[in-house]
């Protein structure tokens, strides 16, 4: 299968590209390298030392004997470049990771909000429009987020995208199926809601074949393939903008920083290990919808946990201390979350659980590169409104 | 009240601006004049001879003794200009008409799809972001569309934005209220769905005060104010891209062209006269939500009609002939539509009905300027997919 991986230089895109290349797919990475430029903008680097794309490719060729094509292209800006690429490559599938993916970054300032909206919406729409324009039958797999459902307490298990509802009317009860009502918690999450709307339309009007993966929070860093050579190492973000909660706890414990729990830590979230993410992408690729089908939606997550419980778990394993800090986000302090993920389980996903993987992550990644951390970049400081406060531990603020 | 009218040079924006100025509001029109540029692009002009903004302003000053400020600004592109304008003007309210508003134009080509998405989403998001950024408490009134609800047969009366639903779960029935599920029928309509998502988020996160008007298809051309002087005349679009269905029938009858009914004409749509539109905008301005409220949604329509019935009605009044033509849109050929509009009625709207206004429209506008029409631009030729066909009457195609 020939697969374009849009955003193939990123945290999810790179391990997914290698995973597909390893199983024999012909992989073309398309990236504008924006994530590396944002490292420069924020003045903080991946905890793991990631290599240039030139080195990554060369290392992969050496290790696997396989080649990956790399095309530098901004799909949100260069529509004609994208259309030409489809004409040249004629891919069977496109995996679309090419969006700004950090909620805190999307809330930093008006500029960051506007960039995230403009970049993500135009990127997704350009891909859809170009597939129609090309006249090709290309399966589009998109990385969405569990966050489109929102993090209130639903009072039910979150279904995979679609919800059966009943509407009482004067003429009796109307039964129908709808896209699960959205309730995004940041500008970033909202762009994935906008994406979902675009997908529903293009599946209906143009009969595009689209799979949308509503992904939980990734934990872990490396996969089978990125572990084969240090030059293939994946990025590990620990800063307040791009670091995801569990990876941040692992890193904080490794460097002797308090595990910073926002608010009461009563937020319940869905999680998935990065190795399972690449497996899910593979399963999605191999099980496309048929032209004319509605968008196929999978919940790409394997476990749910309350944030304060995760902090306690990491503290117990490592002896780190937990510190409650102000919540820089405007969100429900406490919520329940039950999620259906039957589709991937039925198609053969065999999840890696927190209990088996946590310690290895701490030893192999967070601990190993701890000396590369800039402690001043650990707190989450992007505020959702002027009424929120940065998540700086009192114990650290007090030492300044 | 000081009101910014974004898109105040357009078909709805201009009469709304005059209406508010006439009642004593301080009106600032903000426009990039894109609609006039699209006239140039399409090579077709308004049936009515519209004047330059300079002449329009001067005529209004002469007729009413009131002044309207005009600012040329592209709100989708020039965020800092917009922010500066808010700082200078400190408006009480913003009325946002500044979007590409024609479904057929939005479907003409990849370029038109991409322009509509990029322009409309960034325009709306920039307005929201700038209100937050300004720190001002500004009521935003937005012109949406009935088309966000979709034109399938709902099996119920369409409520004003929100729907009470029941979800059967293992633990019993969960009752909740949701935004009415969307089902847009074109890229243009989809942008209004995206807008709705943006509004819900900014009302929640930033407690912005937002009113969204889900407007039916406008018919009629002039209002009390635009009728005061010919130099104030409003635009009347009759071409296949920008002409709305009833105005097109009126104009077709006036020039002796068949009334072109797409498909079976079984499409049922909601309508509102342009005079009622400006009154609704006024009512919405005077009844803002409170900070912290959900988005206030009104259905801004007064009647529903099946397209073929409208054609018959116009034919009966004028003696025109009706001709069925291929439907260039991908849509349900037949649908029912029942719509609640209790909110505006309760607040004093006294609708102008088709039965009282139709004949006047034909005599005063369509008939009067009939000699300005370019007949070749009447058929709708923008196709929703490659499988659709242009709406060209066989009787006309046969004469070529």
């Amino acid at each position: 299968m020939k697969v374009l991986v849009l955003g193939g230089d990123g945290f999810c895109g790179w391990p997914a590209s290698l995973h597909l290349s390893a199983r024999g797919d012909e992989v073309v990475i398309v990236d504008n390298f924006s994530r590396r430029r944002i490292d420069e903008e924020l003045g903080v680097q991946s905890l793991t030392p990631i290599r240039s794309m030139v080195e990554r490719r060369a290392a992969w060729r050496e290790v696997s004997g396989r080649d990956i094509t790399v095309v530098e292209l901004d799909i949100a800006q260069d529509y004609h470049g994208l259309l030409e690429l489809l004409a040249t490559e004629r891919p069977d599938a496109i995996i679309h990771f090419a969006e700004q993916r950090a909620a805190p970054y999307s809330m930093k300032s008006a500029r960051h909000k506007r960039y995230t909206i403009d970049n993500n919406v135009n990127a997704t729409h350009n891909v859809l429009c170009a597939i129609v324009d090309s006249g090709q039958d290309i399966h589009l797999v998109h990385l969405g987020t569990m966050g489109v459902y929102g993090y209130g307490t639903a009072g039910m298990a979150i279904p995979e995208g679609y919800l059966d509802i009943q509407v009482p009317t004067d003429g009796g009860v109307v039964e129908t199926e709808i896209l699960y009502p959205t309730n995004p918690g940041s500008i970033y999450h909202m762009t994935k809601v906008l994406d979902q709307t675009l997908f529903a339309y293009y599946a209906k009007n143009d009969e595009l074949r689209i799979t949308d993966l509503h992904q939980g929070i990734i934990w872990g860093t490396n996969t089978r393939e990125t572990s084969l050579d240090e030059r293939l190492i994946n990025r590990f973000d620990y800063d307040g903008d791009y670091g995801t909660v569990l990876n941040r706890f692992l890193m904080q414990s490794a460097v002797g920083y308090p595990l910073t729990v926002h608010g009461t830590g009563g937020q319940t979230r869905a999680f998935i290990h990065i190795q399972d993410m690449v497996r899910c992408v593979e399963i999605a690729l191999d099980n496309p919808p048929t032209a004319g089908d509605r968008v196929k939606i999978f919940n790409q997550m394997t476990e749910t946990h309350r944030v304060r419980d995760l902090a306690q778990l990491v503290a117990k394993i490592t002896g780190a201390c937990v510190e409650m800090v102000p919540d820089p986000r405007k969100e429900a302090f406490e919520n329940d979350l039950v999620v259906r993920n039957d589709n991937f389980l039925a198609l053969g996903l065999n999840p890696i659980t927190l209990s088996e993987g946590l310690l290895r992550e701490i030893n192999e990644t967070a601990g190993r590169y701890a000396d590369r951390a800039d402690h001043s970049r650990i707190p989450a400081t992007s505020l959702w409104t002027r009424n929120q406060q940065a998540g700086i531990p009192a114990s650290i603020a007090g030492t300044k």
Side-chain angles (χ1 to χ4, degrees), chain A:
Chain A
M1 202 186 295
K2 182 185 270 195
V3 184
L4 298 195
V5 183
L6 312 179
D9 187 45
F11 176 58
C12 288
W14 175 241
S17 298
L18 294 190
H19 183 75
L20 297 176
S21 177
R23 75 164 194 165
D25 288 339
E26 193 177 339
V27 173
V28 180
I29 286 179
V30 180
D31 209 297
N32 67 346
F33 302 106
S34 61
R35 187 63 193 86
R36 292 177 188 251
R37 275 196 298 278
I38 291 174
D39 277 345
E40 300 297 324
E41 175 200 338
L42 298 178
V44 60
Q45 299 294 322
S46 162
L47 191 70
T48 48
I50 57 170
R51 305 302 173 93
S52 73
M53 186 47 92
V54 173
E55 289 174 276
R56 282 179 156 187
R57 276 184 73 190
W60 180 242
R61 204 182 296 116
E62 217 179 291
V63 167
S64 71
R66 299 180 191 277
D67 203 9
I68 286 179
T69 307
V70 178
V71 177
E72 183 167 356
L73 186 74
D74 186 332
I75 62 159
Q77 299 292 330
D78 185 359
Y79 177 75
H80 292 284
L82 176 61
L83 191 59
E84 238 174 64
L85 190 67
L86 297 191
T88 314
E89 296 290 350
R90 304 193 64 81
D92 301 291
I94 295 175
I95 311 177
H96 173 28
F97 295 97
E99 297 183 86
Q100 193 298 100
R101 61 102 172 147
Y105 184 85
S106 79
M107 301 301 285
K108 277 189 102 58
S109 74
R111 181 173 71 78
H112 295 90
K113 290 177 190 179
R114 297 176 52 244
Y115 166 74
T116 302
I117 291 279
D118 183 54
N119 182 71
N120 291 8
V121 173
N122 281 309
T124 297
H125 185 253
N126 279 350
V127 173
L128 292 163
C129 194
I131 294 175
V132 173
D133 217 0
S134 76
Q136 297 173 45
D137 178 26
I138 301 169
H139 176 208
L140 177 64
V141 177
H142 172 255
L143 268 282
T145 168
M146 286 293 302
V148 302
Y149 301 121
Y151 295 118
T153 291
M156 68 187 91
I158 307 283
E160 305 208 51
Y162 300 93
L163 182 67
D164 290 317
I165 65 167
Q166 298 176 339
V167 186
T169 72
D170 294 344
V173 171
V174 173
E175 304 211 342
T176 184
E177 182 195 74
I178 61 171
L179 271 168
Y180 191 93
T182 60
N183 184 20
S186 73
I187 294 287
Y188 154 73
H189 290 102
M190 186 166 52
T191 63
K192 300 286 183 164
V193 175
L194 305 182
D195 287 346
Q196 170 172 296
T197 306
L198 297 171
F199 295 143
Y201 180 73
Y202 274 87
K204 178 181 73 165
N205 193 69
D206 300 285
E207 303 194 354
L208 293 196
R209 295 186 297 129
I210 302 170
T211 300
D212 200 4
L213 305 175
H214 288 187
Q215 184 167 275
I217 300 171
I218 296 273
W219 66 282
T221 308
N222 285 303
T223 57
R224 205 166 300 119
E225 291 79 20
T226 67
S227 305
L228 289 173
D229 187 297
E230 204 189 355
R231 292 169 296 167
L232 298 173
I233 201 166
N234 197 22
R235 54 180 308 128
F236 180 114
D237 296 303
Y238 66 92
D239 63 289
D241 284 317
Y242 275 89
T244 54
V245 57
L246 187 47
N247 277 5
R248 279 163 49 76
F249 287 160
L250 299 179
M251 177 273 179
Q252 288 170 334
S253 75
V255 303
Y257 198 94
L259 310 187
T260 49
V261 172
H262 294 163
T264 66
Q267 308 93 334
T268 306
R269 295 291 182 272
F271 293 87
I272 183 169
H273 190 272
I274 195 158
Q275 180 71 54
D276 286 340
M277 179 276 292
V278 302
R279 173 75 180 122
C280 285
V281 168
E282 177 186 4
I283 292 172
L285 268 184
D286 291 344
N287 294 277
T290 305
D293 285 358
R294 67 182 191 184
V295 176
K296 196 166 189 173
I297 299 177
F298 293 89
N299 288 340
Q300 186 160 305
M301 52 69 66
T302 58
E303 297 176 72
T304 63
H305 294 280
R306 208 169 280 273
V307 168
R308 61 172 169 253
D309 296 340
L310 283 182
Q312 289 303 341
L313 179 64
V314 173
K316 198 175 136 193
I317 297 175
T318 64
C321 72
V322 175
E323 193 164 334
M324 310 312 266
V325 300
D327 191 347
R329 304 187 183 206
K330 184 164 175 173
E331 62 185 352
F333 275 8
E334 305 273 331
N335 72 295
D336 290 324
L337 183 63
V338 181
V339 183
R340 308 293 301 259
N341 67 338
D342 312 57
N343 284 336
F344 274 129
L345 295 179
L347 291 168
L349 178 67
N350 182 17
I352 296 169
T353 61
L354 236 61
S355 53
E356 61 193 283
L358 262 192
L359 205 57
R360 198 180 65 195
E361 287 299 327
I362 295 170
N363 294 334
E364 289 182 9
T365 309
R368 181 158 171 205
Y369 298 102
D371 61 326
R372 287 173 47 92
D374 172 352
H375 292 211
S376 73
R377 307 315 304 271
I378 296 177
T381 58
S382 294
L383 307 184
W384 259 234
T385 78
R386 287 171 183 153
N387 301 323
Q388 265 67 40
Q389 283 179 275
I392 300 172
S395 65
I396 302 286
T399 63
K400 278 188 186 160

